[in-house]
């Protein structure tokens, strides 16, 4: 797939292995270039969450990271804001929600 055409990357995240990520997939996976699925506690530090770390490492300038909830980016408000700031500094757009993102309505 051409990264220039489909720069959206989806991080699906639930905190228990028994929970399902299908709703998150259904909403955004069809328009995303790559999907990273995480079934691990969001209370862990970013460095202890391999799928989140892989998603963050994968993203490049102009890409868009889609998450259902912003709180999945960090174990607390400060860590989530640090992750978001890092994304913005790198030229990555963040999108929250289940609706398809539009150019004028990122996070």
């Amino acid at each position: 797939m051409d990264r220039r055409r489909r720069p959206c990357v989806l991080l699906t995240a639930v905190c228990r292995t028994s929970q399902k990520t299908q709703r998150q997939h259904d909403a955004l996976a069809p328009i995303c270039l790559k999907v990273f699925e995480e079934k691990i506690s969001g209370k862990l530090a970013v460095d202890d969450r391999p799928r989140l770390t892989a998603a963050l490492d994968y993203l490049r300038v102009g890409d868009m990271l889609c998450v259902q909830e912003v709180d999945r980016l960090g174990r607390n408000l400060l860590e989530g804001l640090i992750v978001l700031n890092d994304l913005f500094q790198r030229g990555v757009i963040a999108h929250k929600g289940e609706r398809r993102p539009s150019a004028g309505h990122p996070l």
Side-chain angles (χ1 to χ4, degrees), residues 2-9 33 55-65 85-94:
D2 185 346
R3 285 182 63 101
R4 289 170 291 164
R5 272 190 5 182
R6 304 211 19 180
C8 181
V9 174
L33 168 69
L56 296 175
D57 290 345
Y58 181 84
L59 293 162
R60 302 290 179 255
V61 172
D63 285 353
M64 177 184 294
L65 176 64
N85 185 61
D86 177 61
L87 292 173
F88 297 149
Q89 293 291 322
R90 292 171 42 202
V92 174
I93 298 165

Side-chain angles (χ1 to χ4, degrees), residues 31-66:
I31 63 165
C32 290
L33 168 69
K34 189 154 180 76
V35 176
F36 292 88
E37 182 171 303
E38 183 173 71
K39 290 189 175 189
I40 193 168
S41 174
K43 297 197 183 300
L44 295 173
V46 172
D47 292 339
D48 295 329
R49 297 172 57 193
R51 299 306 292 164
L52 172 59
T53 302
L56 296 175
D57 290 345
Y58 181 84
L59 293 162
R60 302 290 179 255
V61 172
D63 285 353
M64 177 184 294
L65 176 64
C66 296

Side-chain angles (χ1 to χ4, degrees), residues 1 6 8 10 22-35 100:
M1 224 178 271
R6 304 211 19 180
C8 181
L10 175 62
Q22 190 61 46
R23 190 179 77 194
Q24 297 173 49
H25 277 276
D26 291 347
L28 295 169
I31 63 165
C32 290
L33 168 69
K34 189 154 180 76
V35 176
R100 293 178 181 217

